[in-house]
Amino acid sequence: MTERTLAIIKPDAVERHLAGTIIQRIEGEGFQIRAMRRLHLSKTQAEGFYAVHRERPFFASLTEFMSSGPVIVLVLEAPDAIKKWRTLMGATDPAKADAGTMRKEFAQSIERNATHGSDAPDTAAYEMGYFFAGVELV
Ligand code: CMP
């Protein structure tokens, strides 16, 4: 079933000029890019995006990091896109990520882990709506 998911190229990867490589990989794996934007989140905007994690011990540090520099947000479309993108990203902790995954290749730590992907259809809907209006998905 064709599905959409939200991807973020995080500040650590943008800063190290890895965005082009990651986007090339996304297209090479067969995803359609339905929307894409580069933006610099405020701390409040990062807190809103990661609201589901607000009770976690890493929330303050995570939202500080996510607002530390520009990110690139994308809506990706493919059959089974949520799982497909999460598989391509690899485990959250790069030490546990499989060879060839984005995080194995590009992440510096469990926090500075290069990319984000929605983890389920309801979070994908929230996350896509957080950054894009329906008319921007083309
Ligand atoms: P992400 O997939 O964007 O979802 C939540 C983020 O919190 C995660 O990637 C990491 O960047 C960050 N994070 C920091 N510490 C942890 C941790 N111990 N467990 C999970 N996520 C963490």
Side-chain angles (χ1 to χ4, degrees):
M1 191 188 72
T2 298
E3 187 176 61
R4 289 174 175 176
T5 190
L6 185 92
I8 303 180
I9 303 174
K10 294 188 178 185
D12 58 315
V14 172
E15 185 184 20
R16 287 181 294 144
H17 303 131
L18 294 168
T21 305
I22 293 172
I23 291 166
Q24 189 170 34
R25 192 70 194 279
I26 286 169
E27 292 197 311
E29 294 288 336
F31 290 97
Q32 297 292 328
I33 297 173
R34 293 295 178 208
M36 179 163 71
R37 181 185 307 139
R38 185 177 190 276
L39 72 165
H40 190 152
L41 294 173
S42 67
K43 181 86 155 58
T44 304
Q45 287 170 332
E47 287 168 356
F49 179 77
Y50 278 116
V52 346
H53 292 307
R54 65 183 165 273
E55 305 301 334
R56 309 285 284 269
F58 55 79
F59 183 69
S61 174
L62 171 64
T63 52
E64 195 67 46
F65 160 58
M66 288 300 290
S67 56
S68 67
V71 298
I72 296 173
V73 293
L74 310 96
V75 172
L76 308 181
E77 184 179 280
D80 212 10
I82 294 172
K83 188 155 151 247
K84 184 177 162 83
W85 173 233
R86 289 180 70 80
T87 301
L88 181 58
M89 286 196 298
T92 305
D93 182 353
K96 296 181 185 151
D98 290 337
T101 61
M102 302 285 91
R103 278 143 169 190
K104 185 68 178 184
E105 289 186 23
F106 304 128
Q108 298 174 303
S109 68
I110 194 167
E111 180 172 275
R112 299 174 69 86
N113 63 355
T115 55
H116 166 84
S118 312
D119 64 359
D122 57 337
T123 45
Y126 174 77
E127 293 180 358
M128 290 188 285
Y130 199 79
F131 291 114
F132 298 105
V135 292
E136 294 177 282
L137 305 176
V138 294

